[in-house]
Amino acid sequence: IIPHRYVLPTSEKQHLERGLPGFYHKIIDDIAHGDHKSDYTTNSVAIRSGLAKPVVDRLKEMNAKVPVTVLAMYPDGTCDVELAYRFIDHWSKRRHFKYGMPGIPEIFQPKDPSKQKPRCVLRRVPTVMLNAVHYSGINMYDSQYACARDVLAGQPPNADFDPMAREAHKKTVLNNRFVIASGPMPPDASSGACQYEWSIQVRAPSEFEMYQLAAMLRRIQRMD
């Protein structure tokens, strides 16, 4: 039992928008079964009508925000996401922590752990469970990826480059290890399926320089 105290919103949408701990549907079930003993839950009719809001003062389970990268989105309202390695590494050192992950997990174990880190993708995760870190940005796709499995077998992302640095535009600071996270190319991204307002073709001397250019453009978009 984890002690908490806050007024329960009238909808799950408000509960998610406020970033409150716990799972809304489980709290409602707890109240409906009469397990939640509170002065505000004595009149169930007033609670259902919204005139009285129950006070949550304990939780059986906690929800945690996990950093992920969206790889692909589907028309049925689901998406494929990749878990951040720092979360996987933190979790591996604390095996007593138990997490209930949505979606279908796919884990990639490298043959040589000294050269490549393990990666994990959650497939078919409901998009309503995602919270955007930035209000705007640029989607990154890689044409050599056809599905999420191809992303796992490809080169892992390495965010070892700061596009805000004063010397970031100079060739002397070219980082041959920087790889930006990207997902498989969606079918409707082709110009044959979707007409864009404008398009631009850029050719860079190397993939790493293209990664850095894409990172700079995305940072400018987020700051605009």
Side-chain angles (χ1 to χ4, degrees), residues 131-142:
N131 292 324
V133 179
H134 303 277
Y135 288 104
S136 62
I138 299 176
N139 298 328
M140 300 293 179
Y141 305 115
D142 197 324

Side-chain angles (χ1 to χ4, degrees), residues 113 158 183:
N158 181 22

